[in-house]
Amino acid sequence: MDSAFYYHNLTDVIPDKESNIFVILVHGYTSSPGYMGVYSKHYYEQGYNVISPSLNGHADSEKQNVTMGWNDRLDVLDWANYISETYPDSKIVIHGVSMGAATTMMALGEDLPTNVKVAVADCGYTSVWDIFDNKIRSVINIPGDPILHSANTVNKVVSHFDFKKASAVEQLKKATVPTIFIHGDKDTFVPYEMLDQVYDAAACEKEKVTIPNAPHARNACVDPELYWGSVERFISKHIND
């Protein structure tokens, strides 16, 4: 097969050299596949195939409600199954940033095909409840519980999932895919302290990388050498497992 950058739903294919490595690139909250160019470009230049889907409630997604990674994890599972069924010799990397990293970590607790070899979780949060609680406390300086309990009741009806059950930490306890966790130590949007919580929870082979002086979702820009060097070494180590 040809290496290509797949935008949204496998359109706009730009052929390059042959590769059986696919990257499922998962964007963050309020972002879109089009804003993941720095990551797509890097992987494309490595000769990999890149698929960058729109998450629920974002860009050209057919689904209206944002689900903060929880329902999206099943879309990632579907993409992984589609690739592995279409290309049985494929090797898959799942790379998510921010909410995309949470999506990735949540997907790792599912029954992924054996073609999925590596995951990259860049500045992801521990759970939907935790990140909402953190934002409420930091913005309006009150405990998040009263607001979240009410919001969660509505969310169960509208989006059919529970904020507390939407947990990357709990999903990572079931993970088997080798995963590299990356976080900037100046991240205040998704607190840096969450890095240790998701890393410690992961039952898979794992590595942890801190990017000094990096704010939220800017790790690849602040220190691209450390970021991509760490990611590529980790992929090389595990892609043929």
Side-chain angles (χ1 to χ4, degrees), residues 19 34 38 52 63 142 146 155 185:
S19 175
V38 65
S52 190
K63 300 171 184 177
I142 64 170
N155 185 69
D185 65 5

Side-chain angles (χ1 to χ4, degrees), residues 104-105 108-109 112 116-121 168-169 171-181 198-208 234 238 241:
T104 298
M105 293 185 288
L108 293 175
L112 291 164
V116 178
K117 302 297 184 182
V118 178
V120 181
V169 166
Q171 289 290 93
L172 286 168
K173 292 177 181 179
K174 301 179 284 182
T176 59
V177 175
T179 304
I180 181 169
F181 299 86
V198 293
Y199 177 83
D200 291 344
C204 54
E205 292 190 52
K206 55 192 176 182
E207 183 177 325
K208 179 170 58 176
F234 195 80
H238 295 288
D241 290 352

Side-chain angles (χ1 to χ4, degrees), residues 217-240:
R218 301 296 292 169
N219 296 311
C221 299
V222 169
D223 195 335
E225 183 175 351
L226 175 58
Y227 187 92
W228 289 115
S230 300
V231 168
E232 285 302 327
R233 282 192 297 273
F234 195 80
I235 290 174
S236 296
K237 180 179 179 181
H238 295 288
I239 198 68
N240 294 314

Side-chain angles (χ1 to χ4, degrees), residues 27 36 38 43 51 57 68 72-73 76 90 111 115 120 125 149 164 174 176 179 191 202 212 218 227 237:
H27 68 77
M36 297 296 284
V38 65
Y43 282 123
I51 294 175
M68 301 302 293
D72 310 270
R73 83 194 193 283
V76 171
S90 61
D111 186 18
N115 303 64
V120 181
Y125 43 81
H149 280 295
K164 287 192 173 182
K174 301 179 284 182
T176 59
T179 304
R218 301 296 292 169
Y227 187 92
K237 180 179 179 181

Side-chain angles (χ1 to χ4, degrees), residues 99-153:
M99 187 178 75
T103 304
T104 298
M105 293 185 288
M106 292 169 182
L108 293 175
E110 302 302 318
D111 186 18
L112 291 164
T114 57
N115 303 64
V116 178
K117 302 297 184 182
V118 178
V120 181
D122 179 349
C123 63
Y125 43 81
T126 50
S127 73
V128 174
W129 183 279
D130 289 347
I131 195 62
F132 283 168
D133 181 63
N134 177 267
K135 292 302 104 189
I136 292 169
R137 290 173 184 273
S138 63
V139 173
I140 58 178
N141 197 31
I142 64 170
D145 279 15
I147 296 173
L148 283 176
H149 280 295
S150 297
N152 198 25
T153 299

Side-chain angles (χ1 to χ4, degrees), residues 33-92:
Y35 284 102
M36 297 296 284
V38 65
Y39 309 94
S40 299
K41 182 175 183 290
H42 178 86
Y43 282 123
Y44 177 71
E45 290 175 346
Q46 299 301 306
Y48 302 161
N49 304 284
V50 180
I51 294 175
S52 190
S54 298
L55 297 187
N56 289 201
H58 290 76
D60 62 354
S61 172
E62 296 175 355
K63 300 171 184 177
Q64 295 184 346
N65 298 322
V66 176
T67 64
M68 301 302 293
W70 186 244
N71 291 350
D72 310 270
R73 83 194 193 283
L74 301 178
D75 294 336
V76 171
L77 174 61
D78 286 345
W79 276 107
N81 284 330
Y82 173 82
I83 295 167
S84 62
E85 290 165 7
T86 306
Y87 304 104
D89 67 338
S90 61
K91 299 175 181 180
I92 301 170

